Amino acid sequence: MITLRKATERGHANHGWLDSNFSFSFAEYYDPAHMHYGALRVINDDRIAPGMGFGMHPHQDMEIITYVLSGGIAHKDSMGNGSVILPGNVQRMSAGTGLRHSEYNPSNDTETHLLQIWILPAQKGGAPSYEEKTFSDADKRGQLRLIASPTGEAGSVTILQDVKLYAGLFDGAEYAEMPILAGRKLYVHVAKGQVQINGLALDAGDAIMLKQEDALKIQNGHAAEVLVFDVF
């Protein structure tokens, strides 16, 4: 079964300095038909104005992944971590029993575009932790590169849930295929560009959900950046 959700069907909020699209219920956007997809709880497509951002705020019992598409985001947290996350970097925080962090666009003239991803942990509690790794364009070009997993395999960041996250870049004749294992399902988010997935044409912000299908097939991309969530 394949379900397509267009970018225009997402929730939306524009606060001036922050323009967000919500794939799942978040803040004032409530949609009982789109609360989560397996353990995938949040994909917020955020555009943050220069010099603006989120002050110190708390999180608890959530796996949080920040994936920057353009610009950068300056991060500081109560664990003592501080860095600027750029395209190609993948930041992972396990909030556990609780942490606080801030996120700001450090540029004076360039907008930041990022995806804020939340995944429900397998268990609540535990000490909060932080991880950051870099995956080059070459790592993702014409293929699906594992960037997050429960075991940290293949150099991916480690999340506390039975979810795997892949990222890929696709142009022209580049093609990728991935089998869908029994009992698993996929959520595919087109972060940038245009691409064809299992025969359907998708644009930036569109998503496709696949379950009880044999495989995922990605082709005919045009400056496409794709994230694939393998969930149970």
Side-chain angles (χ1 to χ4, degrees), residues 123-144:
Q123 294 183 337
K124 293 184 177 182
S129 63
Y130 180 93
E131 190 178 13
E132 183 184 328
K133 293 194 175 182
T134 300
F135 302 90
S136 69
D137 283 0
D139 290 332
K140 298 175 283 188
R141 172 57 55 199
Q143 62 182 329
L144 291 171

Side-chain angles (χ1 to χ4, degrees), residues 93-109:
M93 292 189 298
S94 296
T97 54
L99 60 80
R100 295 175 61 82
H101 78 134
S102 64
E103 300 165 289
Y104 281 90
N105 179 351
S107 173
N108 293 321
D109 52 21

Side-chain angles (χ1 to χ4, degrees), residues 2-6 190 194-203 206-210 217-220:
I2 298 176
T3 304
L4 172 65
R5 190 178 190 213
K6 299 294 291 181
V190 180
Q194 297 84 39
V195 70
Q196 190 177 71
I197 298 179
N198 286 52
L200 295 177
L202 279 75
D203 296 310
D206 292 348
I208 190 169
M209 290 154 273
L210 302 97
K217 299 177 182 179
I218 302 175
Q219 61 192 118
N220 297 330

Side-chain angles (χ1 to χ4, degrees), residues 64-215:
I64 300 169
I65 295 172
T66 300
Y67 190 94
V68 176
L69 296 166
S70 64
I73 195 79
H75 163 90
K76 291 184 179 179
D77 65 44
S78 55
M79 295 178 285
N81 300 296
S83 64
V84 176
I85 312 301
L86 299 171
N89 301 148
V90 174
Q91 180 202 67
R92 184 273 301 165
M93 292 189 298
S94 296
T97 54
L99 60 80
R100 295 175 61 82
H101 78 134
S102 64
E103 300 165 289
Y104 281 90
N105 179 351
S107 173
N108 293 321
D109 52 21
T110 302
E111 177 185 78
T112 292
H113 184 197
L114 60 81
L115 299 177
Q116 191 71 256
I117 298 161
W118 294 6
I119 295 171
L120 298 167
Q123 294 183 337
K124 293 184 177 182
S129 63
Y130 180 93
E131 190 178 13
E132 183 184 328
K133 293 194 175 182
T134 300
F135 302 90
S136 69
D137 283 0
D139 290 332
K140 298 175 283 188
R141 172 57 55 199
Q143 62 182 329
L144 291 171
R145 174 65 163 92
L146 183 66
I147 62 172
S149 71
T151 61
E153 62 192 90
S156 60
V157 299
T158 304
I159 54 175
L160 303 178
Q161 182 55 275
D162 184 13
V163 171
K164 290 185 176 181
L165 171 57
Y166 300 82
L169 302 173
F170 297 93
D171 262 309
E174 293 171 341
Y175 174 87
E177 183 170 341
M178 187 173 80
I180 303 174
L181 302 180
R184 308 291 295 187
K185 56 188 178 182
L186 302 184
Y187 188 98
V188 185
H189 178 84
V190 180
K192 295 169 68 175
Q194 297 84 39
V195 70
Q196 190 177 71
I197 298 179
N198 286 52
L200 295 177
L202 279 75
D203 296 310
D206 292 348
I208 190 169
M209 290 154 273
L210 302 97
K211 59 181 179 180
Q212 298 176 339
E213 296 286 324
D214 292 331

